[in-house]
Amino acid sequence: MRKNAVLSHCILALVVGCVSICVRAQSDPLPSWNDTAPKKEILAFVAKVTAEGAPDFVPVGQRIATFDNDGTLWVEQPMYVQLAFIMDRVKQLAPQHPDWKTTQPFKGVLDGDMKAVAASGEKGLMQLMAATHAGMSVEEFQKIVTEWLGAAQQPKFKRRYPQCVYQPMIELLAYLRANGFKTYIVSGGGVEFMRPWTEKIYGIPPEQVVGSSVKTSFQMIDGKPQLMRLPELNFLDDKEGKPIAINQYIGRRPIAAFGNSDGDQQMLEWTAAGAGPHLMLLVHHTDATREYAYDRQSPFGKLDKALDEANEKGWIVVDMKNDWKVIFPSSQ
Amino acid sequence: MRKNAVLSHCILALVVGCVSICVRAQSDPLPSWNDTAPKKEILAFVAKVTAEGAPDFVPVGQRIATFDNDGTLWVEQPMYVQLAFIMDRVKQLAPQHPDWKTTQPFKGVLDGDMKAVAASGEKGLMQLMAATHAGMSVEEFQKIVTEWLGAAQQPKFKRRYPQCVYQPMIELLAYLRANGFKTYIVSGGGVEFMRPWTEKIYGIPPEQVVGSSVKTSFQMIDGKPQLMRLPELNFLDDKEGKPIAINQYIGRRPIAAFGNSDGDQQMLEWTAAGAGPHLMLLVHHTDATREYAYDRQSPFGKLDKALDEANEKGWIVVDMKNDWKVIFPSSQ
């Protein structure tokens, strides 16, 4: 290209760039949120921490936002998605384990007898974890998870689980990132159960996913190093575990934290105790028609003490029914 | 400003931008490296993984590079810096612990009797760790580390430890980042011992520092949540621990890994077993004049089996004396 042509291309690029920035600035970054208090508070918070020179300005590197996953970013009813995976996996593996027909907690899973499964307690849960989450390499497990998520359906909405994510939260993640935030998942769910799909669905890469984990062992198998998953819990990323994991994995205190249950209470407390500006938000499941309505009595995602603390301290509580225009992405 | 003035400013900005890009492209990104094999191999590797459309192209998000710290990015002789910290800290705290004068391993530290310290074994080391690394909040510990690093001097070079980093590696870190790599530290050293200063010195933010750690406890102290450091090892990030930690913290396999001792062997093996292109490099300390010369017999940073494997498999081995023009940054 001749110099003049290069120059006019550059000018054109500048003009197009300016126009697109202006259009973006005018459009609504959270179109699936009603114009109620939560949306206004979020927009005001982002405006103040990104206003250079203002007293509440936070430099880009310190704009850390942490999100719980189950019940905050995707559906956790009628049971945690990972529990649905465990149950399907037990059924799939059952032909190789004839003793499961007569041994709890496996018998309970195969009979659909959730009371028997629950009665097997923590020991039973660990047995189910060991049978379904261990004994293979990290890569093999990720393949199993990916295949299952590509086939299994959420029973109420008849769509695949990665489509049972909350559209308003997807927009919020993108909006925060567009404003220089680094978005993390900090979930009680298994980290290897999330990493295969969080980048595609949430835009959150593997290295920004913090979760519960099993121990792994580095082994040379046929001269090739493998990380094998062991039937032993490494870390439970729930309640007090969340601020502990945030410090261990991220090494910075979030300035914004998002949850929906008592399992998130300590993460929000840790965020609230930061020196600078901070935002704490709970998603309250109030929409029995479009999703589910549950809180203090729910076996999954119980929201009780954290709701009291939110009300007492003025944390944002999203009333799903009234604050969200839509729940799920429109495409299936 | 009037429109014309805005436009000419834009054009000026563009021209200045283009000129500075051209100058950068022509200048040497690794000026402290001699034009020997290691530099050539690094440049060739980066060129091939960043060439869009070429068979070895690696997308930006997958360009993960992991660096050991002690002996790879900064000095680890005459002892690990963190051990020097422990010894200074024991001396500082000794007046409050009169029993240390007669109890090992503390007596050994106070007398400068390293043989007695070594004889106390792992149990002794854990006692020293507990006395110097636990019993305070995470923030308090970071403050202690920062103050110590601002005052302590490396005995041979008479400069502060954060100035005893390797200038050629600082350039390499910046060069990789300029080419879309995400640079991580994966060190046997304590993660909270590194995070207070790695961003300033290496350009590596806290969330990209993986290291050994003690357990922490989430506690409400005077109504304020605190993460308290406990006298119990949480994770030892060395040897097999390095690939385990890489999977746990990063969740992706590195395409480039840099170390200097047998503690890095498994990290390099894990990197070498990746499906795509990969680069493995060991820093060999061969310069007794400008730094230190040590390998198979050294109590710190022992390089023996990893050197054999590097020679056998063609991993890059940097001969510090011949491959590096300078060792440390010029400013003190």
Side-chain angles (χ1 to χ4, degrees):
Chain A
M1 272 192 288
R2 284 170 46 222
K3 270 188 188 170
N4 277 353
V6 173
L7 194 59
S8 52
H9 267 82
C10 287
I11 292 169
L12 185 67
L14 267 178
V15 171
V16 170
C18 291
V19 169
S20 97
I21 288 165
C22 295
V23 169
R24 240 189 297 151
Q26 283 167 356
S27 73
D28 183 350
L30 302 173
S32 300
W33 293 67
N34 284 318
D35 291 324
T36 44
K39 179 174 177 172
K40 286 176 188 164
E41 288 184 60
I42 291 167
L43 294 175
F45 176 78
V46 171
K48 82 176 174 185
V49 301
T50 56
E52 248 174 288
D56 283 328
F57 177 73
V58 177
V60 165
Q62 293 167 32
R63 293 181 203 160
I64 302 288
T66 55
F67 289 79
D68 169 57
N69 186 37
D70 298 307
T72 299
L73 296 179
W74 78 347
V75 161
E76 64 182 352
Q77 301 289 354
M79 68 178 80
Y80 294 129
V81 180
Q82 198 166 355
L83 188 53
F85 166 76
I86 288 174
M87 295 183 69
D88 280 1
R89 189 81 186 138
V90 165
K91 287 172 197 161
Q92 197 183 352
L93 295 172
Q96 301 156 45
H97 303 270
D99 57 306
W100 285 0
K101 277 188 196 156
T102 51
T103 322
Q104 294 295 4
F106 303 101
K107 184 178 183 313
V109 171
L110 296 175
D111 298 346
D113 179 0
M114 290 310 285
K115 274 194 185 161
V117 175
S120 72
E122 199 175 322
K123 195 187 155 208
L125 193 64
M126 285 312 296
Q127 284 177 293
L128 290 173
M129 283 282 291
T132 57
H133 282 62
M136 71 289 278
S137 74
V138 165
E139 277 98 346
E140 284 161 354
F141 182 70
Q142 290 187 344
K143 204 166 152 255
I144 292 167
V145 169
T146 304
E147 281 172 6
W148 182 80
L149 284 172
Q153 276 207 333
Q154 205 277 349
K156 179 169 177 178
F157 307 110
K158 309 287 181 211
R159 33 162 83 194
R160 298 207 166 81
Y161 289 105
Q163 286 299 318
C164 297
V165 295
Y166 305 133
Q167 177 62 21
M169 296 304 280
I170 302 285
E171 291 167 9
L172 178 56
L173 285 166
Y175 171 58
L176 290 176
R177 285 194 296 264
N179 281 281
F181 281 75
K182 207 162 178 177
T183 53
Y184 281 84
I185 289 174
V186 178
S187 167
V191 66
E192 304 287 12
F193 188 76
M194 298 183 280
R195 279 179 171 156
W197 55 274
T198 55
E199 185 153 29
K200 193 176 157 201
I201 304 292
Y202 300 140
I204 298 180
E207 63 268 30
Q208 283 159 232
V209 180
V210 179
S212 297
S213 54
V214 296
K215 285 197 189 297
T216 57
S217 159
F218 180 82
Q219 298 174 10
M220 280 287 175
I221 297 173
D222 299 331
K224 217 187 142 188
Q226 296 281 2
L227 284 173
M228 298 302 291
R229 293 170 59 85
L230 305 180
E232 191 185 341
L233 187 70
N234 176 57
F235 186 74
L236 182 64
D237 186 29
D238 200 31
K239 299 188 183 284
E240 290 82 3
K242 291 202 175 192
I244 288 171
I246 286 170
N247 180 62
Q248 196 169 308
Y249 284 74
I250 310 176
R252 304 197 205 240
R253 196 190 295 249
I255 66 164
F258 304 85
N260 77 299
S261 79
D262 285 0
D264 304 312
Q265 189 173 6
Q266 289 80 1
M267 173 167 78
L268 270 60
E269 287 172 346
W270 180 241
T271 304
H278 38 255
L279 178 147
M280 289 68 59
L281 181 150
L282 286 174
V283 174
H284 190 189
H285 294 260
T286 52
D287 196 329
T289 308
R290 294 188 303 169
E291 205 240 6
Y292 295 93
Y294 60 96
D295 46 34
R296 297 183 195 271
Q297 305 299 328
S298 176
F300 304 107
K302 178 177 171 176
L303 175 63
D304 183 31
K305 288 183 186 166
L307 187 57
D308 292 339
E309 189 170 358
N311 289 333
E312 189 191 315
K313 299 194 174 159
W315 298 348
I316 302 173
V317 178
V318 168
D319 176 342
M320 219 179 205
K321 191 174 176 180
N322 291 313
D323 295 330
W324 286 358
K325 282 184 196 157
V326 298
I327 307 292
F328 300 124
S330 54
S331 67
Q332 287 213 24
Chain B
M1 273 191 286
R2 285 169 47 220
K3 270 190 189 169
N4 277 354
V6 173
L7 193 61
S8 52
H9 267 82
C10 287
I11 292 169
L12 185 67
L14 268 178
V15 172
V16 170
C18 291
V19 169
S20 96
I21 288 165
C22 295
V23 169
R24 242 189 296 150
Q26 284 167 355
S27 73
D28 182 351
L30 301 173
S32 299
W33 293 67
N34 284 317
D35 291 324
T36 44
K39 178 174 178 174
K40 286 175 187 163
E41 290 184 59
I42 291 167
L43 295 174
F45 175 78
V46 171
K48 80 176 175 185
V49 301
T50 55
E52 248 175 288
D56 284 328
F57 176 73
V58 177
V60 165
Q62 294 167 31
R63 293 181 203 159
I64 303 288
T66 55
F67 290 79
D68 169 58
N69 186 36
D70 297 308
T72 299
L73 296 180
W74 77 348
V75 161
E76 65 182 352
Q77 301 288 354
M79 69 179 80
Y80 295 129
V81 180
Q82 197 165 356
L83 188 54
F85 166 76
I86 288 174
M87 295 182 69
D88 280 1
R89 189 81 187 137
V90 165
K91 286 172 198 160
Q92 198 182 351
L93 295 172
Q96 300 156 46
H97 302 270
D99 56 308
W100 285 0
K101 276 187 198 157
T102 51
T103 322
Q104 293 296 4
F106 303 100
K107 183 179 185 315
V109 171
L110 296 175
D111 298 347
D113 179 359
M114 288 311 285
K115 274 193 186 163
V117 175
S120 72
E122 201 175 320
K123 194 187 154 206
L125 192 64
M126 285 312 296
Q127 285 177 293
L128 291 172
M129 282 282 291
T132 57
H133 281 63
M136 70 291 275
S137 73
V138 165
E139 277 98 347
E140 284 162 353
F141 183 70
Q142 290 187 344
K143 202 166 154 257
I144 292 166
V145 170
T146 304
E147 281 172 7
W148 181 79
L149 284 171
Q153 276 206 333
Q154 204 278 350
K156 180 169 176 178
F157 307 110
K158 309 287 180 212
R159 35 163 81 194
R160 299 207 166 82
Y161 290 105
Q163 286 299 318
C164 296
V165 295
Y166 305 133
Q167 177 62 21
M169 297 303 281
I170 302 284
E171 292 166 9
L172 178 55
L173 285 165
Y175 171 59
L176 290 176
R177 284 194 295 265
N179 282 280
F181 282 74
K182 208 161 174 176
T183 53
Y184 282 84
I185 290 173
V186 179
S187 168
V191 65
E192 305 286 13
F193 188 76
M194 298 183 280
R195 280 178 171 158
W197 55 273
T198 55
E199 186 154 29
K200 192 176 159 201
I201 303 293
Y202 300 141
I204 297 181
E207 64 268 32
Q208 284 159 231
V209 180
V210 179
S212 297
S213 54
V214 296
K215 286 196 187 299
T216 57
S217 159
F218 180 83
Q219 298 174 10
M220 279 288 175
I221 299 173
D222 299 332
K224 217 188 143 188
Q226 295 281 3
L227 284 173
M228 298 300 292
R229 293 171 58 85
L230 306 179
E232 189 185 343
L233 188 69
N234 176 57
F235 186 74
L236 183 62
D237 187 29
D238 200 31
K239 298 187 184 286
E240 289 82 4
K242 292 203 174 190
I244 288 171
I246 286 170
N247 181 63
Q248 196 169 308
Y249 285 74
I250 309 175
R252 303 196 205 242
R253 197 190 294 249
I255 66 165
F258 304 84
N260 78 300
S261 79
D262 285 359
D264 303 313
Q265 190 173 5
Q266 289 81 359
M267 174 167 77
L268 271 60
E269 287 172 345
W270 180 241
T271 304
H278 37 255
L279 178 146
M280 288 67 60
L281 181 150
L282 287 173
V283 174
H284 191 187
H285 293 261
T286 52
D287 196 328
T289 309
R290 295 188 302 171
E291 204 240 5
Y292 295 93
Y294 60 98
D295 46 35
R296 297 182 194 271
Q297 306 298 328
S298 177
F300 304 108
K302 179 178 169 176
L303 175 63
D304 184 29
K305 288 182 185 167
L307 187 57
D308 291 339
E309 188 170 356
N311 290 332
E312 188 191 316
K313 299 195 173 161
W315 297 349
I316 301 172
V317 178
V318 168
D319 175 343
M320 218 177 205
K321 190 174 175 181
N322 292 312
D323 295 329
W324 285 359
K325 280 185 196 157
V326 299
I327 308 291
F328 301 123
S330 55
S331 67
Q332 288 214 23

